[in-house]
């Protein structure tokens, strides 16, 4: 059970508190296998996100997410984040 735990995310250079489970989604890549993603809502408590393993990093609102290209397995999370922001706006 990870909720409430302090997590060091070495790929981003931050420490974060893991919140509630936001979405579980599965994507079938055919012969390349099945991917199940568990997306949690988190709060940064230390550090500033930085692109350690990628060429760039942008911090954007959920409404801006559709402007970016995502892996097929990530699309359901992007759609859910965008819809959640629409409900709270």
């Amino acid at each position: 059970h990870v909720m409430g735990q302090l997590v060091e995310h070495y790929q981003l250079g931050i420490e974060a508190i893991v919140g509630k489970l936001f979405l579980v989604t599965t994507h079938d890549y055919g012969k390349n296998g099945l991917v199940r993603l568990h997306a949690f809502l988190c709060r940064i408590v230390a550090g500033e996100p930085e692109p350690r393993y990628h060429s760039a990093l942008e911090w954007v609102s959920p409404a801006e997410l559709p402007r970016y290209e995502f892996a097929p397995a990530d699309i359901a999370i992007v759609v859910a984040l965008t819809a959640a922001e629409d409900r709270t706006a």
Side-chain angles (χ1 to χ4, degrees), residues 34-57:
L34 191 68
V35 174
R36 175 170 289 152
L37 300 175
H38 296 79
F40 290 84
L41 300 176
C42 298
R43 181 173 44 93
I44 297 172
V45 294
E48 290 288 325
E50 56 186 64
R52 293 183 173 185
Y53 294 95
H54 300 284
S55 60
L57 174 77

Side-chain angles (χ1 to χ4, degrees), residues 24-28 34-37 73 76:
V24 176
T25 182
T26 304
H27 183 79
D28 188 351
L34 191 68
V35 174
R36 175 170 289 152
L37 300 175

